[in-house]
Amino acid sequence: MGIGIFELLILLVLLSGFVLWLIALVDILRNEFTGYNKIVWLLAVVFVPLIGAIVYLFIGRKQRVARPQ
């Protein structure tokens, strides 16, 4: 028996969630934040992975400290 469409769909959803989580985690670690925002976002992404990553990508990225160019 081979893999069915349902299994492929589940695999795609899980892989997408992992990629979002990884992007959020790397972005948090590479950037500076004011106060305790960095640790708060790290805890949110680690303990509530999918929801934390999505919320960070929509809201948290705006809280980063701007780098001088």
Side-chain angles (χ1 to χ4, degrees):
M1 288 192 95
I3 257 183
I5 191 75
F6 184 70
E7 288 85 6
L8 285 175
L9 186 61
I10 290 174
L11 184 62
L12 181 65
V13 168
L14 290 174
L15 188 60
S16 298
F18 177 73
V19 169
L20 282 177
W21 177 80
L22 192 61
I23 289 170
L25 189 63
V26 168
D27 193 65
I28 293 168
L29 293 173
R30 292 187 72 185
N31 290 290
E32 295 296 323
F33 293 83
T34 57
Y36 292 106
N37 284 345
K38 186 172 200 165
I39 191 72
V40 170
W41 283 116
L42 276 173
L43 290 172
V45 168
V46 168
F47 288 114
V48 189
L50 186 58
I51 305 285
I54 291 171
V55 171
Y56 170 75
L57 291 172
F58 282 105
I59 297 172
R61 294 182 82 170
K62 297 173 188 168
Q63 297 178 354
R64 296 185 297 188
V65 173
R67 294 181 184 177
Q69 298 199 16

